Amino acid sequence: PQNESAASGWGLFFALLFYSIAHLMMLNGVQLFAKDMFCTRYYNGCPTEAKMALAKSKATQLIFGIFAYPNFVPLFATPILTSLSDSIGRRPILLFGAIVQLLAPLSWVLFFWPGFECPLEIVYALMILSGVGGRRNTFVAMCFSRASDVTTSVQRPVKFMNLQGADFIGLAVGPLLAGGLSTFHPIVVFAAATFFLILSLVSICLIQERKHESLPAAWKKFDLCAPFQR
């Protein structure tokens, strides 16, 4: 296995932690605001029970659809990303996944931006496009692949347990933060999710990977963190 510095190890830990927080904040943010969004934007504040029921129905469809449709894209993207990671390293693929995932919370920031009438179809399109990066399951799998690259069979269980801990913390903290921030404007929740994805990107840049050093210059262009590596 490759040798790994302490900074590189913590970079992987926090990359997964922040990514999981962002993903759950976004998921819970949509669930929290969907009904009110339909009432406000499409049904004149839901003055009647009929319109309230219709808004709830549309919100339920949105919640299931907005996170189901993007998951079809990774069916095709994940095998390609996995194969590429074996050639160019895990860090460039982690970086690509986190960058593309930024489209998801930013689409909701755009949708809720005051005075800007962003069609819901644009949100659907950007959410689906975010699936090109593989979404959360691919990101988690890539983190564990990286952990496997830098550990022996004896060290691996501890490394995997640490990553599972990062993921579980993110799954717990994300909904708590979304709920706490839900008293503010919806943009606050989705902007916070964007912020945590940026933190994940910064953490990915701490990961040091020797495999990248021997790649042709054309491949190195996929790794935006390369100039910051020692």
Side-chain angles (χ1 to χ4, degrees):
Q2 306 171 29
N3 294 325
E4 184 177 50
S5 66
S8 182
W10 282 113
L12 184 64
F13 178 90
F14 282 110
L16 180 54
L17 172 63
F18 293 140
Y19 189 99
S20 294
I21 290 175
H23 180 80
L24 267 294
M25 285 192 72
M26 187 176 58
L27 175 62
N28 283 268
V30 175
Q31 294 173 333
L32 287 167
F33 298 117
K35 179 178 68 65
D36 290 340
M37 177 268 291
F38 274 103
C39 277
T40 302
R41 184 165 293 197
Y42 300 109
Y43 298 111
N44 299 318
C46 294
T48 65
E49 289 294 329
K51 287 192 174 182
M52 176 64 74
L54 189 57
K56 289 180 179 178
S57 175
K58 292 291 186 180
T60 302
Q61 294 175 24
L62 172 70
I63 292 168
F64 283 106
I66 207 74
F67 290 99
Y69 300 145
N71 287 327
F72 287 105
V73 181
L75 291 174
F76 306 97
T78 298
I80 297 173
L81 294 173
T82 302
S83 178
L84 274 176
S85 74
D86 292 334
S87 301
I88 68 175
R90 317 298 182 191
R91 190 179 72 225
I93 303 303
L94 287 169
L95 191 68
F96 174 73
I99 289 173
V100 175
Q101 185 62 21
L102 279 169
L103 293 173
L106 286 176
S107 68
W108 288 105
V109 171
L110 187 66
F111 182 82
F112 284 109
W113 196 267
F116 183 70
E117 294 294 330
C118 177
L120 195 55
E121 290 76 12
I122 297 296
V123 177
Y124 270 102
L126 291 176
M127 289 286 292
I128 291 171
L129 188 59
S130 72
V132 173
R135 295 183 63 79
R136 181 177 175 275
N137 288 340
T138 305
F139 191 91
V140 172
M142 204 59 58
C143 287
F144 277 87
S145 295
R146 161 65 185 183
S148 182
D149 292 340
V150 297
T151 55
T152 64
S153 58
V154 175
Q155 299 167 328
R156 201 160 294 140
V158 175
K159 186 73 171 179
F160 282 7
M161 183 176 64
N162 290 338
L163 287 180
Q164 287 173 339
D167 193 30
F168 290 153
I169 292 171
L171 295 178
V173 171
L176 289 174
L177 286 175
L181 294 174
S182 65
T183 55
F184 301 100
H185 195 278
I187 286 180
V188 175
V189 174
F190 297 109
T194 303
F195 173 72
F196 278 106
L197 277 176
I198 293 173
L199 290 180
S200 181
L201 286 169
V202 173
S203 300
I204 292 169
C205 285
L206 295 176
I207 299 172
Q208 297 177 353
E209 197 164 43
R210 287 186 177 180
K211 184 180 293 186
H212 184 271
E213 296 173 0
S214 61
L215 292 174
W219 282 114
K220 291 183 180 181
K221 295 178 182 179
F222 287 94
D223 189 359
L224 301 179
C225 294
F228 304 99
Q229 298 294 308
R230 293 182 297 177

